Amino acid sequence: MVRDPYELKEGQAWEQEFDERLKRKKAREREKRIKENKIKREQDFDQDTQTVIQMTNKNKRIKDEERKKKLTKEEKKRKKRSKTIKLVLKIILLLGILVGGIIFAMISPIFAIKNIQVTNNEQVNSETIISLSELKTEENIFRFSGVVTANKIKENAYIKEVKVHRKIPDTVQIEIEERKHSYSIDFLGKYAYIDKQGYILEIAEDSKQKIILQGITTPEEEVIVGKRLKDQDLERLEDVIKIKNATKEYNLDSKVTSIDISNKNEYSIYLEEEKKKIYLGDGTNLSNKMLYINAIIEEEKGKAGEIFANGDLNNKFRVYFKESLNV
């Protein structure tokens, strides 16, 4: 079959046009791929660049932090050195002020002693205490030791405690606590005064109307002012205090002349005004015993004799009076 030449020509034209379109399409696709590859390369480059930048920034940040730490440590060291220097300077300044103040206080006439006051003393006069203290007027108020001064004053047996107060600028106050003369002891024709703790306060010619303790075990050569009685006497002295308190309940304490403590199981007291000697036994149950004793004293008023209260009141013992026939 013979085709029309015109138709052949149109078919060739169409094929050429189709080929042209195909080429243009491939060209566009190639350009697109080239463009996409370029974009991808650019993106990859950007990512790499960003990574590099990030790493660079990180390294820089680490270095900056290390530099800051180093600077911080050095700054801390500088601040510490500065504080130390300031502290040392302050201490030196304070020491200088203190030393200067001490020197001024030690040499200034403002702090010369003008007054020495003694308080709470009754038995030892103020002149004696000042003399014992060895303090002098016009002496610097800071140039003596309060402890040493107190110990000097306590050499007097009547002085129990001493407190020394500086009253700036020129007054010294000496506060005294004294021992009290409570009992007397027969001693080589004289009397040794003692307090309730057994301290020997003084040797005198009379007893000052204090209760006389008889039968102590302390040797005469050891009866020394400022010393204490022996332990055995100190133990019995505790019973003496109990006896005195028991007599006080019935107003008999002022009538007690002497207490014999030679035998701790047979204490006895003597009432010179009543002319009666009272046997108390070992000093137990004193309050009940003194009740009966007081009744007998009232009943036997004016009669000399002995009262026996040295038995066990809880075992049917009865306190009784035996009149002296030799009076």
Side-chain angles (χ1 to χ4, degrees), residues 183 232-246 259 261 263-265 267 269 280-284 286:
Y183 308 100
Q232 186 174 347
D233 290 330
L234 294 178
E235 291 175 5
R236 296 178 185 183
L237 190 58
E238 293 180 5
D239 287 334
V240 168
I241 294 171
K242 294 176 184 177
I243 292 170
K244 185 176 180 181
N245 290 337
I259 302 176
I261 61 172
N263 184 349
K264 67 177 182 179
N265 295 316
Y267 293 122
I269 62 178
L280 296 173
D282 61 6
T284 59
L286 287 171

Side-chain angles (χ1 to χ4, degrees), residues 278-281 289 293 307-311 313 317 319-320:
I278 304 168
Y279 296 93
L280 296 173
K289 289 178 180 179
I293 291 169
I307 299 174
F308 294 87
N310 52 354
L313 297 181
F317 176 84
V319 179
Y320 64 95

Side-chain angles (χ1 to χ4, degrees), residues 214-220 222-223 229-234 236 261-262:
Q214 299 173 333
I216 67 167
T217 60
T218 303
E220 291 181 348
E222 294 185 28
V223 179
L229 300 178
K230 289 295 183 181
D231 290 344
Q232 186 174 347
D233 290 330
L234 294 178
R236 296 178 185 183
I261 61 172
S262 57

Side-chain angles (χ1 to χ4, degrees), residues 49-298:
T49 303
Q50 188 175 4
T51 302
V52 171
I53 292 172
Q54 288 176 348
M55 290 297 295
T56 303
N57 290 339
K58 183 177 181 182
N59 292 334
K60 185 180 179 182
R61 190 163 57 250
I62 290 172
K63 288 181 180 179
D64 288 342
E65 289 176 356
E66 289 177 351
R67 186 163 56 253
K68 286 181 180 179
K69 286 181 181 179
K70 186 176 180 180
L71 290 173
T72 303
K73 287 181 180 178
E74 291 179 355
E75 188 177 353
K76 285 182 178 179
K77 286 181 180 179
R78 285 197 299 271
K79 286 183 178 180
K80 188 175 181 181
R81 283 197 299 270
S82 177
K83 285 183 179 180
T84 302
I85 292 170
K86 288 180 180 179
L87 179 61
V88 171
L89 290 174
K90 284 181 180 179
I91 292 173
I92 292 173
L93 179 61
L94 289 173
L95 286 174
I97 294 172
L98 180 62
V99 171
I102 291 173
I103 293 172
F104 174 77
M106 296 295 283
I107 64 176
S108 174
I110 295 174
F111 299 106
I113 297 174
K114 297 293 190 297
N115 303 298
I116 303 175
Q117 302 171 350
V118 182
T119 61
N120 298 337
N121 57 312
E122 296 179 0
Q123 301 182 86
V124 184
N125 61 54
S126 297
E127 290 74 16
T128 299
I129 292 171
I130 293 172
S131 177
L132 287 169
S133 75
E134 298 183 3
L135 294 177
K136 301 289 189 295
T137 55
E138 301 306 324
E139 175 185 1
N140 187 278
I141 199 169
F142 299 108
R143 286 185 177 272
F144 69 90
S145 166
V147 174
V148 173
T149 300
N151 288 335
K152 288 177 180 178
I153 296 171
K154 286 164 69 175
E155 290 177 2
N156 186 299
Y158 275 102
I159 308 300
K160 183 178 181 180
E161 293 293 339
V162 180
K163 292 181 180 178
V164 180
H165 307 284
R166 291 179 175 87
K167 303 293 184 180
I168 306 301
D170 58 9
T171 299
V172 177
Q173 185 181 79
I174 302 173
E175 185 180 347
I176 300 296
E177 181 183 350
E178 294 179 324
R179 294 187 175 94
K180 304 297 183 181
H181 171 201
S182 300
Y183 308 100
S184 297
I185 299 171
D186 284 323
F187 177 72
L188 299 176
K190 297 182 179 181
Y191 297 94
Y193 298 166
I194 66 170
D195 71 350
K196 292 179 179 180
Q197 284 74 45
Y199 280 97
I200 301 166
L201 307 178
E202 183 182 351
I203 307 297
E205 297 292 335
D206 63 80
S207 67
K208 285 190 176 180
Q209 296 183 341
K210 296 293 182 180
I211 296 173
I212 299 171
L213 301 184
Q214 299 173 333
I216 67 167
T217 60
T218 303
E220 291 181 348
E221 63 272 14
E222 294 185 28
V223 179
I224 301 171
V225 173
K227 302 296 182 181
R228 292 184 80 184
L229 300 178
K230 289 295 183 181
D231 290 344
Q232 186 174 347
D233 290 330
L234 294 178
E235 291 175 5
R236 296 178 185 183
L237 190 58
E238 293 180 5
D239 287 334
V240 168
I241 294 171
K242 294 176 184 177
I243 292 170
K244 185 176 180 181
N245 290 337
T247 60
K248 194 172 184 178
E249 289 182 36
Y250 299 94
N251 298 320
L252 296 175
D253 55 313
S254 60
K255 297 182 179 182
V256 177
T257 308
S258 64
I259 302 176
D260 190 333
I261 61 172
S262 57
N263 184 349
K264 67 177 182 179
N265 295 316
E266 194 60 78
Y267 293 122
S268 64
I269 62 178
Y270 184 68
L271 281 62
E272 185 173 3
E273 180 182 330
E274 299 292 337
K275 297 180 181 180
K276 292 178 176 63
K277 185 174 183 177
I278 304 168
Y279 296 93
L280 296 173
D282 61 6
T284 59
N285 209 5
L286 287 171
S287 183
N288 287 338
K289 289 178 180 179
M290 209 56 62
L291 174 65
Y292 291 105
I293 291 169
N294 184 58
I296 290 174
I297 289 173
E298 293 297 324

